[in-house]
PDB file of all heavy atoms in Angstrom:
ATOM      1  N   ARG A 409     126.175  95.075 148.984  1.00 76.00           N
ATOM      2  CA  ARG A 409     126.064  93.719 149.502  1.00 76.00           C
ATOM      3  C   ARG A 409     124.608  93.333 149.739  1.00 76.00           C
ATOM      4  O   ARG A 409     124.159  92.254 149.361  1.00 76.00           O
ATOM      5  CB  ARG A 409     126.842  93.605 150.818  1.00 76.00           C
ATOM      6  CG  ARG A 409     126.836  92.205 151.419  1.00 76.00           C
ATOM      7  CD  ARG A 409     127.506  92.201 152.787  1.00 76.00           C
ATOM      8  NE  ARG A 409     126.746  92.965 153.763  1.00 76.00           N
ATOM      9  CZ  ARG A 409     125.658  92.505 154.376  1.00 76.00           C
ATOM     10  NH1 ARG A 409     125.203  91.289 154.108  1.00 76.00           N
ATOM     11  NH2 ARG A 409     125.019  93.257 155.264  1.00 76.00           N
ATOM     12  N   ARG A 410     123.852  94.265 150.355  1.00 76.00           N
ATOM     13  CA  ARG A 410     122.453  93.965 150.647  1.00 76.00           C
ATOM     14  C   ARG A 410     121.624  93.806 149.374  1.00 76.00           C
ATOM     15  O   ARG A 410     120.788  92.911 149.261  1.00 76.00           O
ATOM     16  CB  ARG A 410     121.861  95.075 151.510  1.00 76.00           C
ATOM     17  CG  ARG A 410     122.450  95.137 152.914  1.00 76.00           C
ATOM     18  CD  ARG A 410     121.794  96.245 153.725  1.00 76.00           C
ATOM     19  NE  ARG A 410     122.363  96.334 155.062  1.00 76.00           N
ATOM     20  CZ  ARG A 410     121.980  97.223 155.963  1.00 76.00           C
ATOM     21  NH1 ARG A 410     120.999  98.088 155.672  1.00 76.00           N
ATOM     22  NH2 ARG A 410     122.543  97.248 157.157  1.00 76.00           N
ATOM     23  N   LEU A 411     121.855  94.707 148.411  1.00 74.00           N
ATOM     24  CA  LEU A 411     121.086  94.645 147.169  1.00 74.00           C
ATOM     25  C   LEU A 411     121.401  93.379 146.383  1.00 74.00           C
ATOM     26  O   LEU A 411     120.507  92.748 145.819  1.00 74.00           O
ATOM     27  CB  LEU A 411     121.400  95.885 146.308  1.00 74.00           C
ATOM     28  CG  LEU A 411     120.796  97.202 146.817  1.00 74.00           C
ATOM     29  CD1 LEU A 411     121.349  98.364 146.010  1.00 74.00           C
ATOM     30  CD2 LEU A 411     119.285  97.169 146.722  1.00 74.00           C
ATOM     31  N   GLU A 412     122.688  92.993 146.344  1.00 73.00           N
ATOM     32  CA  GLU A 412     123.059  91.802 145.597  1.00 73.00           C
ATOM     33  C   GLU A 412     122.531  90.541 146.271  1.00 73.00           C
ATOM     34  O   GLU A 412     122.087  89.606 145.601  1.00 73.00           O
ATOM     35  CB  GLU A 412     124.574  91.740 145.429  1.00 73.00           C
ATOM     36  CG  GLU A 412     125.108  92.796 144.473  1.00 73.00           C
ATOM     37  CD  GLU A 412     126.588  92.638 144.202  1.00 73.00           C
ATOM     38  OE1 GLU A 412     127.252  91.903 144.954  1.00 73.00           O
ATOM     39  OE2 GLU A 412     127.058  93.246 143.232  1.00 73.00           O
ATOM     40  N   GLU A 413     122.570  90.504 147.611  1.00 72.00           N
ATOM     41  CA  GLU A 413     122.023  89.354 148.323  1.00 72.00           C
ATOM     42  C   GLU A 413     120.525  89.202 148.049  1.00 72.00           C
ATOM     43  O   GLU A 413     120.022  88.105 147.819  1.00 72.00           O
ATOM     44  CB  GLU A 413     122.261  89.505 149.821  1.00 72.00           C
ATOM     45  CG  GLU A 413     123.700  89.242 150.244  1.00 72.00           C
ATOM     46  CD  GLU A 413     123.897  89.365 151.742  1.00 72.00           C
ATOM     47  OE1 GLU A 413     122.924  89.775 152.422  1.00 72.00           O
ATOM     48  OE2 GLU A 413     124.993  89.061 152.224  1.00 72.00           O
ATOM     49  N   LYS A 414     119.818  90.357 148.075  1.00 73.00           N
ATOM     50  CA  LYS A 414     118.369  90.315 147.829  1.00 73.00           C
ATOM     51  C   LYS A 414     118.088  89.873 146.401  1.00 73.00           C
ATOM     52  O   LYS A 414     117.199  89.056 146.148  1.00 73.00           O
ATOM     53  CB  LYS A 414     117.770  91.700 148.076  1.00 73.00           C
ATOM     54  CG  LYS A 414     116.260  91.743 147.879  1.00 73.00           C
ATOM     55  CD  LYS A 414     115.702  93.122 148.208  1.00 73.00           C
ATOM     56  CE  LYS A 414     114.194  93.171 148.011  1.00 73.00           C
ATOM     57  NZ  LYS A 414     113.640  94.510 148.297  1.00 73.00           N
ATOM     58  N   GLU A 415     118.880  90.427 145.453  1.00 71.00           N
ATOM     59  CA  GLU A 415     118.669  90.082 144.048  1.00 71.00           C
ATOM     60  C   GLU A 415     118.934  88.604 143.791  1.00 71.00           C
ATOM     61  O   GLU A 415     118.185  87.921 143.101  1.00 71.00           O
ATOM     62  CB  GLU A 415     119.594  90.936 143.174  1.00 71.00           C
ATOM     63  CG  GLU A 415     119.460  90.678 141.686  1.00 71.00           C
ATOM     64  CD  GLU A 415     120.389  91.543 140.874  1.00 71.00           C
ATOM     65  OE1 GLU A 415     121.103  92.377 141.457  1.00 71.00           O
ATOM     66  OE2 GLU A 415     120.416  91.374 139.641  1.00 71.00           O
ATOM     67  N   LEU A 416     120.055  88.087 144.354  1.00 65.00           N
ATOM     68  CA  LEU A 416     120.388  86.690 144.161  1.00 65.00           C
ATOM     69  C   LEU A 416     119.343  85.771 144.784  1.00 65.00           C
ATOM     70  O   LEU A 416     118.990  84.736 144.225  1.00 65.00           O
ATOM     71  CB  LEU A 416     121.769  86.401 144.761  1.00 65.00           C
ATOM     72  CG  LEU A 416     122.958  86.982 144.007  1.00 65.00           C
ATOM     73  CD1 LEU A 416     124.236  86.779 144.801  1.00 65.00           C
ATOM     74  CD2 LEU A 416     123.079  86.356 142.629  1.00 65.00           C
ATOM     75  N   GLU A 417     118.826  86.160 145.963  1.00 67.00           N
ATOM     76  CA  GLU A 417     117.815  85.352 146.631  1.00 67.00           C
ATOM     77  C   GLU A 417     116.539  85.284 145.808  1.00 67.00           C
ATOM     78  O   GLU A 417     115.941  84.226 145.626  1.00 67.00           O
ATOM     79  CB  GLU A 417     117.519  85.938 148.012  1.00 67.00           C
ATOM     80  CG  GLU A 417     116.482  85.141 148.793  1.00 67.00           C
ATOM     81  CD  GLU A 417     116.213  85.752 150.162  1.00 67.00           C
ATOM     82  OE1 GLU A 417     116.908  86.727 150.526  1.00 67.00           O
ATOM     83  OE2 GLU A 417     115.298  85.261 150.848  1.00 67.00           O
ATOM     84  N   GLU A 418     116.108  86.451 145.277  1.00 70.00           N
ATOM     85  CA  GLU A 418     114.882  86.482 144.470  1.00 70.00           C
ATOM     86  C   GLU A 418     115.047  85.685 143.190  1.00 70.00           C
ATOM     87  O   GLU A 418     114.147  84.938 142.788  1.00 70.00           O
ATOM     88  CB  GLU A 418     114.523  87.934 144.163  1.00 70.00           C
ATOM     89  CG  GLU A 418     114.093  88.728 145.384  1.00 70.00           C
ATOM     90  CD  GLU A 418     113.846  90.191 145.073  1.00 70.00           C
ATOM     91  OE1 GLU A 418     114.169  90.618 143.932  1.00 70.00           O
ATOM     92  OE2 GLU A 418     113.335  90.906 145.944  1.00 70.00           O
ATOM     93  N   ASN A 419     116.220  85.856 142.535  1.00 65.00           N
ATOM     94  CA  ASN A 419     116.462  85.124 141.294  1.00 65.00           C
ATOM     95  C   ASN A 419     116.500  83.622 141.537  1.00 65.00           C
ATOM     96  O   ASN A 419     116.004  82.824 140.735  1.00 65.00           O
ATOM     97  CB  ASN A 419     117.770  85.578 140.657  1.00 65.00           C
ATOM     98  CG  ASN A 419     117.649  86.952 140.040  1.00 65.00           C
ATOM     99  OD1 ASN A 419     116.548  87.411 139.775  1.00 65.00           O
ATOM    100  ND2 ASN A 419     118.770  87.615 139.807  1.00 65.00           N
ATOM    101  N   SER A 420     117.108  83.228 142.662  1.00 61.00           N
ATOM    102  CA  SER A 420     117.206  81.803 142.970  1.00 61.00           C
ATOM    103  C   SER A 420     115.823  81.184 143.135  1.00 61.00           C
ATOM    104  O   SER A 420     115.552  80.091 142.641  1.00 61.00           O
ATOM    105  CB  SER A 420     118.030  81.611 144.235  1.00 61.00           C
ATOM    106  OG  SER A 420     118.104  80.250 144.578  1.00 61.00           O
ATOM    107  N   LYS A 421     114.929  81.897 143.832  1.00 64.00           N
ATOM    108  CA  LYS A 421     113.587  81.382 144.038  1.00 64.00           C
ATOM    109  C   LYS A 421     112.845  81.235 142.712  1.00 64.00           C
ATOM    110  O   LYS A 421     112.156  80.234 142.461  1.00 64.00           O
ATOM    111  CB  LYS A 421     112.801  82.312 144.967  1.00 64.00           C
ATOM    112  CG  LYS A 421     113.293  82.287 146.409  1.00 64.00           C
ATOM    113  CD  LYS A 421     112.485  83.244 147.281  1.00 64.00           C
ATOM    114  CE  LYS A 421     112.959  83.206 148.722  1.00 64.00           C
ATOM    115  NZ  LYS A 421     112.211  84.164 149.573  1.00 64.00           N
ATOM    116  N   LEU A 422     112.980  82.260 141.857  1.00 67.00           N
ATOM    117  CA  LEU A 422     112.292  82.215 140.566  1.00 67.00           C
ATOM    118  C   LEU A 422     112.789  81.057 139.715  1.00 67.00           C
ATOM    119  O   LEU A 422     112.011  80.337 139.083  1.00 67.00           O
ATOM    120  CB  LEU A 422     112.507  83.541 139.822  1.00 67.00           C
ATOM    121  CG  LEU A 422     111.763  84.755 140.393  1.00 67.00           C
ATOM    122  CD1 LEU A 422     112.187  86.014 139.659  1.00 67.00           C
ATOM    123  CD2 LEU A 422     110.255  84.553 140.265  1.00 67.00           C
ATOM    124  N   PHE A 423     114.117  80.885 139.691  1.00 60.00           N
ATOM    125  CA  PHE A 423     114.662  79.808 138.875  1.00 60.00           C
ATOM    126  C   PHE A 423     114.316  78.433 139.433  1.00 60.00           C
ATOM    127  O   PHE A 423     114.088  77.480 138.680  1.00 60.00           O
ATOM    128  CB  PHE A 423     116.183  79.971 138.758  1.00 60.00           C
ATOM    129  CG  PHE A 423     116.606  80.982 137.740  1.00 60.00           C
ATOM    130  CD1 PHE A 423     117.364  82.082 138.095  1.00 60.00           C
ATOM    131  CD2 PHE A 423     116.245  80.831 136.410  1.00 60.00           C
ATOM    132  CE1 PHE A 423     117.745  83.023 137.151  1.00 60.00           C
ATOM    133  CE2 PHE A 423     116.627  81.762 135.460  1.00 60.00           C
ATOM    134  CZ  PHE A 423     117.367  82.867 135.838  1.00 60.00           C
ATOM    135  N   GLU A 424     114.293  78.293 140.764  1.00 63.00           N
ATOM    136  CA  GLU A 424     113.910  77.025 141.371  1.00 63.00           C
ATOM    137  C   GLU A 424     112.485  76.658 140.984  1.00 63.00           C
ATOM    138  O   GLU A 424     112.175  75.497 140.717  1.00 63.00           O
ATOM    139  CB  GLU A 424     114.024  77.119 142.896  1.00 63.00           C
ATOM    140  CG  GLU A 424     115.438  77.172 143.420  1.00 63.00           C
ATOM    141  CD  GLU A 424     116.114  75.817 143.445  1.00 63.00           C
ATOM    142  OE1 GLU A 424     115.459  74.825 143.036  1.00 63.00           O
ATOM    143  OE2 GLU A 424     117.283  75.748 143.850  1.00 63.00           O
TER     144      GLU A 424
END
Side-chain angles (χ1 to χ4, degrees):
R409 182 186 66 79
R410 292 181 181 179
L411 287 171
E412 290 186 345
E413 285 181 354
K414 181 177 180 181
E415 181 180 357
L416 288 173
E417 181 180 355
E418 292 176 352
N419 287 341
S420 178
K421 290 179 179 178
L422 289 174
F423 280 121
E424 289 282 0

